[in-house]
Amino acid sequence: MAEWTREARYQRIEDVDTETFMELKKRVDASPYRQTYHIQPETGLLNDPNGLIYYDGRYYISHQWFPLGAVHGLKYWFNYTSDDLVHFESQGPILEPDTKYDSHGVYSGSAFEYNGHLYYMYTGNHRDHHWNRVSSQMIARLKEDGTVEKFPKPVIHGQPEGYTSHFRDPKVFEKDGKLYAILGAQTNNEQGRLVLYRSEDVVNWTFLGEIQTDLSQFGYMWECPDYFELDGHDVILFCPQGVEAEGEKYRNIYQSGYMIGNLVIENMTFDHQAFQELDRGFDFYAPQTFVDKHGKRILIGWMGLPDIDYPTDSEGWAHCLTIPRELTIENGKLKQRPLKALETLRTNKETALGYANKFNRKLHPYEGKQYEMIIDILENDATEVYFELRSSRNESTLIIYNQRENTITLDRSDSGLLPTNVDGTARTTRLDTPLNQLHIFVDTSSIEIFCNDGERVLTSRIFPSENATGIKASTESGQVYLQFTKYELKK
Ligand code: FRU
């Protein structure tokens, strides 16, 4: 692949002639891995979801975007609007790197409503002559005509003493009639932290300090924080970088997780339970949440991670967003369930009821590349149960349930092409309760597995061959009694 020079990475989309761009678009459109019901970049690289909000009767969903190739170059926000979070209308770039404060990237941020207007707060990334990073927190307001107007100056320029310029990703929330912004930060001695600002007028932001948690040494940088109240609890999400793997935990290059607790802003304390990973698959990072039109807390993540090479890089595009998930806290535990409205994509229902045993059983007429499947485990005396999806003679994406350990494993060693620079080819997680259901969403190049009605989620990209469409069930020994319900998903 051609070398990405710094110059090429920081090219603006207008600087590239139409022909070159159309060539890129053609290459992307020809990819066999294009998704069908996930948000993906039209060209180039997608990363974090940004500026998620339900405003004036419509959803606004943006994402970090480098248009010109599958690398982390000059970032824009690419925007979609939607009536239902299932169908999306592409609106093109909404925030562009066009001021001196965001000259090297419009980085991640959030949306909020204030006095009837939609505002974005985001990090402007600038590099000085010595290529030193300068981070500013910027605000832009959406105008009637659908374009945005940026405030002329950052509302937070640089960072307070004690922190490095890794100071970013403001998430704005309202509490007791005031606006707050929670940001990810790094201390001068390279510890990840969360800091808080308050504003009463959108323009002036007061630094309140660092949120005290029990995690004083937990990675060198915390990115993409989020705070919300849910079912009587406070929840903080963030993405620590630099946490060592611990057995089956923290196996991805960077982590993304949550803590449930109690935030007391007057004392800047967060009294919390242990940090938990939001997702136990291979490809999940930088999620953000917002409230939908029904008042539900919805989460969307980036189905990818930084610093990994993906098989589509050579086709000029990379990554997608996850399907939206509805969050609740039930009996003190966070549950994540697929967005109900996705049911509107269901067609061609097929069902099957029966036993699977050690003889590999192909499920007829089941097969597919874009589908939703609910597997109810009605009785199980098998030591291990195997589900193979996207299978062919020599490929399959394997889900293993081990009854004794009560673990779920996603094994993609035979899934087809694999991303590189990833630790291992399997991810395992122990469930809280014996497995009674898998609710799986398969798209052309991804799989999202919800276990036990939202108890655990494993999200991964997979890159199987086009003919790998089979679905099979079997066991190591003993048998399992299963009810399958499958729907093809079509837009
Ligand atoms: C997370 C992240 C953010 C940053 C953005 C830049 O993936 O590194 O911290 O704002 O990506 O694209």
Side-chain angles (χ1 to χ4, degrees):
M1 225 194 310
E3 181 76 22
W4 279 91
T5 59
R6 184 181 283 175
E7 209 185 350
R9 278 175 189 256
Y10 285 87
Q11 248 181 334
R12 293 176 56 86
I13 186 164
E14 309 79 55
D15 299 338
V16 173
D17 59 80
T18 322
E19 209 174 301
T20 313
F21 192 74
M22 290 321 286
E23 266 309 303
L24 172 65
K25 180 101 180 64
K26 238 167 66 193
R27 261 170 62 215
V28 173
D29 290 344
S31 165
Y33 302 112
R34 294 296 279 171
Q35 300 274 66
T36 62
Y37 60 92
H38 286 84
I39 290 182
Q40 61 191 341
E42 294 186 355
T43 60
L45 181 139
L46 165 157
N47 57 309
D48 317 357
N50 289 149
L52 313 179
I53 193 168
Y54 180 65
Y55 168 75
D56 200 18
R58 282 206 297 181
Y59 293 101
Y60 289 75
I61 308 288
S62 299
H63 64 74
Q64 285 282 283
W65 187 47
F66 175 60
L68 302 175
V71 290
H72 289 270
L74 182 61
K75 296 288 171 70
Y76 294 65
W77 280 28
F78 190 97
N79 188 45
Y80 290 90
T81 54
S82 172
D83 290 330
D84 56 5
L85 293 175
V86 178
H87 302 86
F88 300 94
E89 226 174 280
S90 160
Q91 304 291 350
I94 191 158
L95 285 171
E96 304 190 18
D98 54 8
T99 74
K100 75 174 181 206
Y101 306 103
D102 54 25
S103 58
H104 292 71
V106 179
Y107 275 10
S108 285
S110 53
F112 60 99
E113 193 176 332
Y114 179 75
N115 278 348
H117 290 285
L118 190 166
Y119 288 88
Y120 291 122
M121 187 173 191
Y122 67 92
T123 301
N125 186 51
H126 171 74
R127 296 281 192 169
D128 68 13
H129 296 308
H130 307 287
W131 205 249
N132 292 319
R133 184 190 300 278
V134 183
S135 292
S136 302
Q137 313 312 317
M138 315 273 291
I139 290 194
R141 185 174 63 84
L142 185 74
K143 297 191 295 181
E144 293 276 301
D145 66 2
T147 63
V148 295
E149 185 171 23
K150 294 181 181 176
F151 285 12
K153 282 204 300 217
V155 292
I156 303 167
H157 192 39
Q159 63 279 347
E161 212 161 299
Y163 299 93
T164 75
S165 59
H166 286 287
F167 198 78
R168 58 177 171 264
D169 310 335
K171 167 75 190 221
V172 176
F173 59 91
E174 212 185 300
K175 213 175 168 61
D176 307 324
K178 295 194 175 92
L179 293 171
Y180 292 88
I182 185 170
L183 275 81
Q186 176 182 63
T187 63
N188 283 342
N189 53 7
E190 299 196 357
Q191 298 295 337
R193 289 290 184 270
L194 301 172
V195 298
L196 206 58
Y197 283 80
R198 179 168 52 215
S199 176
E200 295 186 30
D201 59 7
V202 183
V203 179
N204 299 292
W205 291 80
T206 312
F207 180 57
L208 301 181
E210 205 170 285
I211 298 176
Q212 301 301 319
T213 69
D214 295 344
L215 299 175
S216 56
Q217 295 206 329
F218 194 62
Y220 57 80
M221 169 65 192
W222 293 0
E223 302 188 307
C224 302
D226 195 350
Y227 161 83
F228 51 89
E229 287 176 37
L230 186 61
D231 301 325
H233 301 266
D234 292 325
V235 183
I236 288 182
L237 313 184
F238 64 102
C239 294
Q241 300 185 302
V243 177
E244 294 282 313
E246 239 181 79
E248 295 298 344
K249 276 166 45 180
Y250 315 144
R251 293 283 303 281
N252 292 338
I253 185 162
Y254 305 127
Q255 316 314 321
S256 171
Y258 65 94
M259 301 193 291
I260 298 177
N262 182 27
L263 176 70
V264 181
I265 294 182
E266 298 77 66
N267 315 333
M268 290 297 285
T269 54
F270 186 56
D271 189 14
H272 60 88
Q273 298 168 18
F275 177 86
Q276 304 281 350
E277 288 172 88
L278 271 160
D279 195 286
R280 303 302 299 267
F282 290 91
D283 303 287
F284 182 89
Y285 198 62
Q288 279 290 301
T289 73
F290 62 106
V291 176
D292 76 359
K293 59 177 154 193
H294 311 292
K296 310 274 192 202
R297 177 64 54 178
I298 306 296
L299 175 145
I300 297 178
W302 169 24
M303 209 193 295
L305 281 161
D307 304 332
I308 290 175
D309 297 321
Y310 282 77
T312 61
D313 291 1
S314 58
E315 301 170 343
W317 72 286
H319 311 305
C320 62
L321 298 182
T322 67
I323 56 169
R325 307 174 181 177
E326 184 189 324
L327 304 184
T328 54
I329 297 180
E330 295 166 28
N331 300 321
K333 293 201 163 149
L334 186 78
K335 299 257 181 185
Q336 308 179 61
R337 295 188 177 91
L339 184 83
K340 186 101 175 83
L342 286 165
E343 291 178 6
T344 58
L345 297 180
R346 290 175 172 177
T347 63
N348 296 338
K349 180 175 178 179
E350 294 174 290
T351 58
L353 178 69
Y355 285 96
N357 53 30
K358 68 179 180 181
F359 302 106
N360 212 339
R361 169 149 177 224
K362 195 157 178 196
L363 291 161
H364 286 293
Y366 284 173
E367 60 169 4
K369 291 193 284 194
Q370 294 96 15
Y371 59 86
E372 172 187 355
M373 188 161 66
I374 299 162
I375 307 174
D376 290 302
I377 289 118
L378 304 178
E379 272 171 45
N380 180 21
D381 64 31
T383 42
E384 278 194 343
V385 184
Y386 308 116
F387 300 103
E388 291 175 62
L389 312 183
R390 298 303 306 271
S391 79
S392 64
R393 225 147 57 108
N394 43 21
E395 285 180 12
S396 82
T397 295
L398 180 62
I399 301 168
I400 305 167
Y401 175 58
N402 181 307
Q403 167 141 265
R404 194 160 38 88
E405 305 286 338
N406 198 32
T407 54
I408 286 280
T409 298
L410 171 65
D411 185 333
R412 61 175 188 182
S413 33
D414 294 322
S415 280
L417 300 181
L418 285 175
T420 56
N421 195 24
V422 176
D423 174 18
T425 53
R427 289 286 178 272
T428 294
T429 174
R430 174 164 287 124
L431 301 174
D432 301 339
T433 49
L435 184 68
N436 56 52
Q437 188 189 67
L438 294 172
H439 190 167
I440 303 173
F441 288 80
V442 170
D443 202 344
T444 320
S445 56
S446 69
I447 179 163
E448 289 157 279
I449 308 168
F450 295 78
C451 310
N452 288 347
D453 194 22
E455 181 180 294
R456 203 76 81 247
V457 194
L458 296 91
T459 296
S460 293
R461 297 303 299 282
I462 47 170
F463 301 92
S465 310
E466 281 177 87
N467 67 351
T469 55
I471 300 172
K472 297 177 189 170
S474 62
T475 67
E476 181 192 45
S477 63
Q479 60 180 10
V480 59
Y481 191 45
L482 303 166
Q483 164 81 60
F484 285 85
T485 312
K486 173 178 170 271
Y487 305 88
E488 218 176 298
L489 297 182
K490 267 217 176 93
K491 270 209 169 155

Coordinates of all heavy atoms in Angstrom, one line a residue, residues 10-18 21 65 67-68 74 76 93 95-98:
Y10 N -2.9 15.0 6.0 CA -3.5 16.3 6.4 C -4.1 17.1 5.2 O -4.3 18.3 5.3 CB -2.5 17.1 7.3 CG -2.5 16.5 8.6 CD1 -1.6 15.5 8.9 CD2 -3.5 16.9 9.6 CE1 -1.7 14.9 10.2 CE2 -3.5 16.3 10.8 CZ -2.6 15.3 11.1 OH -2.7 14.7 12.3
Q11 N -4.3 16.4 4.1 CA -4.9 17.0 3.0 C -6.4 17.2 3.2 O -7.1 16.3 3.8 CB -4.8 16.1 1.8 CG -3.9 16.6 0.7 CD -3.9 15.6 -0.5 OE1 -4.1 14.4 -0.3 NE2 -3.6 16.1 -1.6
R12 N -6.9 18.4 2.8 CA -8.4 18.6 2.9 C -9.1 18.0 1.7 O -8.5 17.9 0.6 CB -8.6 20.1 3.0 CG -8.1 20.8 4.2 CD -8.3 22.3 4.1 NE -9.8 22.5 3.9 CZ -10.7 22.6 4.8 NH1 -10.3 22.5 6.1 NH2 -11.9 22.8 4.6
I13 N -10.3 17.7 1.9 CA -11.1 17.0 0.8 C -11.1 17.9 -0.4 O -11.0 17.4 -1.5 CB -12.4 16.5 1.3 CG1 -13.1 15.7 0.3 CG2 -13.3 17.6 1.9 CD1 -14.3 14.9 0.8
E14 N -11.2 19.2 -0.2 CA -11.3 20.1 -1.4 C -10.0 20.2 -2.2 O -10.0 20.6 -3.3 CB -11.6 21.6 -1.0 CG -12.7 21.8 -0.1 CD -12.4 21.5 1.4 OE1 -11.5 22.0 1.9 OE2 -13.2 20.7 1.9
D15 N -8.9 19.7 -1.5 CA -7.6 19.8 -2.2 C -7.4 18.6 -3.2 O -6.4 18.5 -3.9 CB -6.5 19.8 -1.2 CG -6.5 21.0 -0.3 OD1 -7.2 22.0 -0.8 OD2 -6.0 21.0 0.8
V16 N -8.3 17.7 -3.1 CA -8.2 16.5 -4.0 C -9.1 16.6 -5.2 O -10.3 17.0 -5.1 CB -8.6 15.2 -3.2 CG1 -8.6 14.0 -4.0 CG2 -7.6 15.1 -2.0
D17 N -8.6 16.4 -6.4 CA -9.4 16.6 -7.6 C -10.5 15.5 -7.6 O -10.4 14.4 -7.1 CB -8.6 16.6 -8.9 CG -7.8 15.3 -9.0 OD1 -8.4 14.3 -9.5 OD2 -6.6 15.3 -8.7
T18 N -11.6 15.9 -8.3 CA -12.8 15.0 -8.3 C -12.5 13.6 -8.8 O -13.0 12.7 -8.3 CB -13.9 15.7 -9.2 OG1 -13.8 17.1 -9.1 CG2 -15.3 15.2 -8.9
F21 N -11.0 11.5 -6.2 CA -12.0 11.1 -5.2 C -13.0 10.1 -5.7 O -13.3 9.1 -5.0 CB -12.7 12.4 -4.7 CG -13.5 12.1 -3.5 CD1 -12.9 11.9 -2.3 CD2 -14.9 12.0 -3.6 CE1 -13.7 11.6 -1.1 CE2 -15.7 11.7 -2.4 CZ -15.1 11.5 -1.2
W65 N -14.4 11.4 10.9 CA -14.2 11.0 9.5 C -12.9 11.6 8.9 O -12.7 12.8 8.9 CB -15.4 11.5 8.7 CG -15.5 11.0 7.3 CD1 -15.3 9.8 6.8 CD2 -15.8 11.8 6.1 NE1 -15.5 9.7 5.5 CE2 -15.8 11.0 5.0 CE3 -16.1 13.2 5.9 CZ2 -16.1 11.4 3.7 CZ3 -16.4 13.6 4.6 CH2 -16.4 12.7 3.5
P67 N -11.8 11.5 5.1 CA -12.4 11.1 3.8 C -11.5 10.4 2.9 O -12.0 9.6 2.1 CB -12.9 12.4 3.2 CG -12.6 13.5 4.2 CD -11.7 13.0 5.2
L68 N -10.2 10.6 3.0 CA -9.3 10.3 1.8 C -8.6 8.9 1.9 O -7.9 8.6 1.0 CB -8.3 11.4 1.6 CG -9.0 12.8 1.4 CD1 -7.9 13.9 1.3 CD2 -9.8 12.7 0.1
L74 N -6.7 14.0 8.8 CA -7.4 15.2 9.1 C -8.9 14.9 9.3 O -9.6 14.5 8.4 CB -7.2 16.2 8.0 CG -7.8 17.6 8.2 CD1 -7.2 18.3 9.4 CD2 -7.6 18.5 6.9
Y76 N -12.9 15.3 10.1 CA -14.1 16.0 10.0 C -15.2 15.3 10.8 O -15.0 14.2 11.2 CB -14.6 16.0 8.5 CG -13.8 16.7 7.5 CD1 -12.5 16.2 7.2 CD2 -14.3 17.7 6.8 CE1 -11.7 16.8 6.2 CE2 -13.5 18.3 5.8 CZ -12.2 17.9 5.5 OH -11.5 18.5 4.6
P93 N -20.4 16.4 5.5 CA -19.6 17.0 6.6 C -20.4 18.1 7.3 O -20.9 19.0 6.6 CB -18.3 17.5 6.0 CG -18.3 17.0 4.6 CD -19.7 16.6 4.2
L95 N -19.0 19.5 10.5 CA -17.9 20.3 11.1 C -16.6 20.0 10.4 O -16.2 18.9 10.2 CB -17.8 20.0 12.6 CG -18.8 20.5 13.6 CD1 -18.7 19.9 15.0 CD2 -18.8 22.0 13.7
E96 N -16.0 21.1 9.9 CA -14.8 20.9 9.1 C -13.6 21.6 9.8 O -13.8 22.6 10.5 CB -15.0 21.5 7.7 CG -16.2 21.0 7.0 CD -16.3 21.4 5.6 OE1 -15.3 21.8 5.0 OE2 -17.4 21.2 5.0
P97 N -12.4 21.1 9.5 CA -11.2 21.7 10.1 C -10.9 23.0 9.4 O -10.0 23.0 8.5 CB -10.2 20.7 10.0 CG -10.6 19.8 8.8 CD -12.1 19.9 8.7
D98 N -11.6 24.1 9.7 CA -11.4 25.3 9.0 C -11.1 26.6 9.8 O -11.2 27.7 9.4 CB -12.7 25.6 8.1 CG -13.9 25.6 9.0 OD1 -13.8 25.6 10.2 OD2 -15.0 25.7 8.4

